[in-house]
Amino acid sequence: MTAVLGGCGLTGGSDDVTLKLVAAEYGDSAANSSQKYWDRLTDTYESNHSGVKIDVTVYSWNDVDRKVKELVAAGNPPDMAQIGSYADYAADNLLYQADDLLSISTQADFASQLATAGRVKDVQYGMPFAASTRLLFYNKTLFSKAGLTPPKSWKDLAADAAALKAEGVKYPYALPLGPEEAQAETMQWLLSGGGGYTDSFGTYGLDSPENVATFTWLKDELVDKGLTGPVAPGKLNRASAFSAFADGDVGMLNGHPSLMKMAQKQGVEYGMVRMPGHTGPSRYSMGVADWMTAFRHNGHAKQVGDFLDFVYSEENVLDFSREYDLLPVTNSASETMSAAGRDAALKPFLDELPQSETYPVGRTSWAEVAAAVKKNIGGAVAPGSTPASVLAGLESTATKADSGT
């Protein structure tokens, strides 16, 4: 019904339109490649919309943002790009506003915190496409052997890590602050300590008292006591930490839904709980969203909007989320998934979404700040370091990037 109704009045002109979409790869094999997902979706759409073709090119996450930048720089942007950020393009007035494209019902269906995260100066340019949250994973077998229960507070986590170390566990708590995804692990810990990358007014505050206290605790109570494993946190990447958990060598770590399949494949029994906070479970979880953007260059607002209304139908959002173990970005799909037995494994992550916090992606400075965090945050817990000085350096970088100096 969505496809049929969406086409009403679309192709009044005589010229055919081909919309170009650049998308990111979410699959881990040829069998579940994103290209196959998009091919199925566009075949269905095109069969109900004569005169409109959708040309989709999929790149890996290592390449997709760079490829889109190259196309934009060459003066040949795609009509749509499903990528990791949008603020720079919005600042250069290259993007359509969501209001220019989507039906009111589609816009209203976005999860509110994700829609807000897609705004620049209260105008939505980034349309959330996929989301995930983080939970603390723990190895049930290792915990049972050590006689432990899942931690609720930082004190519990440190005590559990010490007990796991005494049992010979290689990584009692895996702390991946390496350059691959250090900004994620960092944000989860900052939130658990009552801080974050920005303050309540949206201003960067990396060296806030809360953040300094969090990294001082991490260094003193976990890293310096040898509870984070044989690889220095600043050298440990997220992929390596996940692999170690799937191999049974990690007691605890922060993870997103893809870790479930990795652990199951290796026969690791795991549990999941909300990230511990200073005195009890953290109030907030970290949320991550990827973004759909639409470039103004080719001028196909009506056709792009109609296609995206189709993309964001409940059925299609559910299909994508289930295919790749991601969280739906719309309220309708979230409600269906929450009630469906087939999606029970994802429900703990889905429950975290309403109180999740996302990166400050609406700032053009965020890419530079994230790069600085990836490069330097491991030094905050390195031997002989002072967390406050490392965080102060990052705050200086953020302030300069935000002011354009």
Side-chain angles (χ1 to χ4, degrees):
M1 181 178 293
T2 302
V4 174
L5 292 179
C8 294
L10 172 62
T11 56
S14 58
D15 295 335
D16 290 349
V17 171
T18 296
L19 301 178
K20 294 187 178 296
L21 165 63
V22 173
E25 178 62 78
Y26 290 88
D28 55 15
S29 68
N32 71 340
S33 71
S34 289
Q35 190 69 58
K36 285 191 173 183
Y37 169 82
W38 284 110
D39 287 348
R40 292 194 304 269
L41 190 74
T42 56
D43 284 349
T44 301
Y45 183 80
E46 289 172 359
S47 68
N48 290 283
H49 295 75
S50 61
V52 179
K53 299 294 182 184
I54 314 295
D55 179 8
V56 183
T57 305
V58 173
Y59 294 103
S60 74
W61 272 111
N62 292 329
D63 299 324
V64 66
D65 287 285
R66 175 176 56 82
K67 290 288 187 180
V68 172
K69 283 186 177 181
E70 290 172 353
L71 290 170
V72 171
N76 186 34
D79 295 282
M80 295 165 282
Q82 184 263 303
I83 48 180
S85 61
Y86 62 86
D88 286 346
Y89 300 129
D92 290 338
N93 197 33
L94 299 178
L95 300 180
Y96 283 114
Q97 301 177 18
D99 285 346
D100 297 329
L101 305 168
L102 303 177
S103 67
I104 294 174
S105 59
T106 297
Q107 291 186 70
D109 201 23
F110 285 134
S112 60
Q113 75 276 24
L114 298 180
T116 298
R119 294 173 183 166
V120 175
K121 297 180 179 178
D122 295 324
V123 177
Q124 186 175 0
Y125 294 94
M127 293 162 278
F129 183 77
S132 68
T133 54
R134 301 292 195 268
L135 291 170
L136 183 77
F137 282 68
Y138 65 96
N139 184 310
K140 284 188 172 182
T141 302
L142 298 178
F143 264 61
S144 178
K145 184 179 178 181
L148 302 175
T149 56
K152 296 182 179 179
S153 67
W154 288 357
K155 182 179 179 180
D156 296 340
L157 188 149
D160 286 352
L164 291 166
K165 182 182 180 181
E167 291 287 336
V169 175
K170 190 173 181 180
Y171 293 89
Y173 178 84
L175 183 65
L177 296 177
E180 180 191 6
E181 204 184 29
Q183 81 284 3
E185 183 73 10
T186 297
M187 184 170 177
Q188 186 66 74
W189 276 99
L190 296 183
L191 290 172
S192 74
Y197 285 121
T198 58
D199 60 23
S200 58
F201 298 102
T203 303
Y204 283 116
L206 280 87
D207 61 348
S208 69
E210 294 85 358
N211 293 346
V212 171
T214 294
F215 266 81
T216 299
W217 185 91
L218 269 176
K219 184 178 187 304
D220 293 348
E221 301 300 326
L222 291 185
V223 181
D224 288 354
K225 292 183 178 180
L227 302 180
T228 55
V231 179
K235 302 287 187 182
L236 182 65
N237 281 324
R238 189 266 305 162
S240 297
F242 276 23
S243 293
F245 186 84
D247 289 339
D249 292 331
V250 175
M252 298 172 281
L253 85 169
N254 284 316
H256 52 65
S258 69
L259 184 56
M260 295 189 296
K261 279 188 177 178
M262 291 181 64
Q264 290 165 359
K265 187 175 181 180
Q266 298 288 91
V268 172
E269 292 190 31
Y270 63 89
M272 303 179 298
V273 293
R274 179 175 291 182
M275 176 67 181
H278 197 272
T279 58
S282 177
R283 182 180 176 186
Y284 297 107
S285 172
M286 187 189 74
V288 176
D290 304 323
W291 304 97
M292 180 67 75
T293 59
F295 288 88
R296 293 155 47 96
H297 182 79
N298 295 323
H300 300 311
K302 184 174 180 61
Q303 293 91 338
V304 168
D306 187 83
F307 175 65
L308 290 180
D309 279 339
F310 175 74
V311 168
Y312 284 110
S313 70
E314 180 182 340
E315 177 183 357
N316 289 328
V317 172
L318 281 172
D319 283 348
F320 180 84
S321 301
R322 286 167 171 163
E323 179 72 30
Y324 300 109
D325 288 327
L326 291 164
L327 304 183
V329 297
T330 61
N331 296 316
S332 58
S334 294
E335 290 169 4
T336 298
M337 184 174 278
S338 291
R342 63 182 290 189
D343 301 311
L346 284 173
K347 192 172 187 307
F349 294 95
L350 196 57
D351 289 343
E352 291 297 302
L353 193 58
Q355 55 267 1
S356 65
E357 295 280 341
T358 61
Y359 299 131
V361 290
R363 292 177 174 272
T364 57
S365 56
W366 170 241
E368 183 176 345
V369 174
V373 171
K374 290 179 182 182
K375 181 179 179 180
N376 298 306
I377 195 63
V381 295
S385 70
T386 305
S389 63
V390 174
L391 290 169
L394 288 170
E395 174 64 16
S396 177
T397 297
T399 300
K400 290 178 181 178
D402 214 33
S403 64
T405 59

